[in-house]
Amino acid sequence: MLTLLPEATRQLGVPRAVYSSQKIGSPVGRPHQREEHIDTLKTCLKVVDKLEKGMIYHTSSQTYG
Amino acid sequence: MKHRSSVPVSKGLRFTSRMVRGLQRTFPRLYAKVAKHEGRKWGDSSIPWTPVKKPVTESRVALITTGGIILKTQEPFNLNDPKGDSSYREIPGDASGEDLVVSHLFYDHTEVEVDTEIMFPLQALHTLQAKGEIGEVARRHFSFNGGISDPTLLIERHAPDVAQQLVADQVDLALLTPA
């Protein structure tokens, strides 16, 4: 899951999540910024096999928590 | 072009919708606390887990969104349902941005109306397939309406339905984008 609300996501018990600091309503990026959208997807896919149960990857700090 | 589905909603719901969007925009930390509280109410201490079985470059990938994205030809979500409409819409893998609109009350979708990719990045996923960064785009994807105050039906019926369809389609990875 791509999340904008990491604490709520943690409470819900989401198995794998990536936290992006985009605003609510545009989780993948800004309108018509296709490279940005692709980068967001690539980040999610890059960490999918590194995330452990319940873990959230923070894109800004590139840390797992 | 505006990607928006017009459905009449009651005055009360319009007011609630404005309040929620105002809270998101003006007091994001407070909104995050409210969301955390809701998460605690509906969360489960057991976290489901399925190991990744294939490299991403060989995986079939599907999108799931709670951003209320629907085909123009589909019935809009019931925005007047006091519990929140927990049904879902199937979006074919070959849908284009011009085929899609948003049907949702509880977030500011001004930008999604301009470009649905920012909520439902289907064309970006096709680009990743073309570049060999994923195995394949799934043949169908799924969209829910957010703002569900009572998720009982979602948990008991609609989410398991979607999970079964993803399994039937042999989807390896599903990415959920939220509203």
Side-chain angles (χ1 to χ4, degrees), chain B residues 94-106:
Chain B
D94 61 358
S96 78
E98 294 305 308
D99 298 327
L100 303 172
V101 291
V102 59
S103 169
H104 200 298
L105 271 184
F106 294 107

Side-chain angles (χ1 to χ4, degrees), chain A residues 16-37:
Chain A
R16 296 177 178 89
V18 172
Y19 167 52
S20 157
S21 56
Q22 299 284 356
K23 64 180 180 179
I24 290 173
S26 47
V28 180
R30 294 165 294 170
H32 302 305
Q33 301 298 312
R34 186 58 52 84
E35 286 305 317
E36 192 174 282
H37 308 164

Side-chain angles (χ1 to χ4, degrees), chain A residues 43-62:
Chain A
T43 299
C44 294
L45 295 167
K46 183 181 72 179
V47 300
V48 73
D49 60 351
K50 297 179 180 66
L51 287 163
E52 294 171 11
K53 193 187 281 191
M55 197 177 258
I56 298 175
Y57 178 72
H58 294 245
T59 55
S60 56
S61 58
Q62 300 185 2

Side-chain angles (χ1 to χ4, degrees), chain B residues 35-179:
Chain B
K36 181 179 176 182
H37 173 75
E38 289 296 305
R40 189 176 294 139
K41 196 161 68 179
W42 294 104
D44 189 333
S45 57
S46 63
I47 300 175
W49 186 253
T50 304
V52 176
K53 293 174 184 149
K54 283 183 186 174
V56 171
T57 51
E58 296 172 17
S59 294
R60 182 174 293 166
V61 183
L63 296 176
I64 303 171
T65 187
T66 55
I69 301 294
I70 61 171
L71 293 173
K72 284 175 186 168
T73 53
Q74 287 174 329
E75 184 183 353
F77 289 109
N78 179 5
L79 303 180
N80 289 295
D81 185 337
K83 293 182 176 179
D85 182 352
S86 68
S87 66
Y88 61 88
R89 304 290 181 271
E90 189 179 307
I91 310 289
D94 61 358
S96 78
E98 294 305 308
D99 298 327
L100 303 172
V101 291
V102 59
S103 169
H104 200 298
L105 271 184
F106 294 107
Y107 71 95
D108 178 356
H109 40 74
T110 310
E111 294 189 340
V112 177
E113 290 171 21
V114 174
D115 181 10
T116 55
E117 281 284 301
I118 67 173
M119 179 60 70
F120 191 70
L122 187 55
Q123 303 315 313
L125 201 60
H126 278 287
T127 302
L128 291 181
Q129 178 183 321
K131 290 182 172 178
E133 303 213 28
I134 63 167
E136 188 178 13
V137 177
R139 73 179 182 92
R140 54 183 174 170
H141 308 262
F142 297 91
S143 177
F144 291 88
N145 175 46
I148 298 166
S149 57
D150 180 353
T152 307
L153 200 56
L154 175 72
I155 293 166
E156 292 179 355
R157 187 197 296 175
H158 294 132
D161 274 359
V162 167
Q164 281 178 6
Q165 291 177 75
L166 292 168
V167 170
D169 289 351
Q170 298 181 301
V171 167
D172 301 299
L173 299 172
L175 174 64
L176 193 153
T177 57

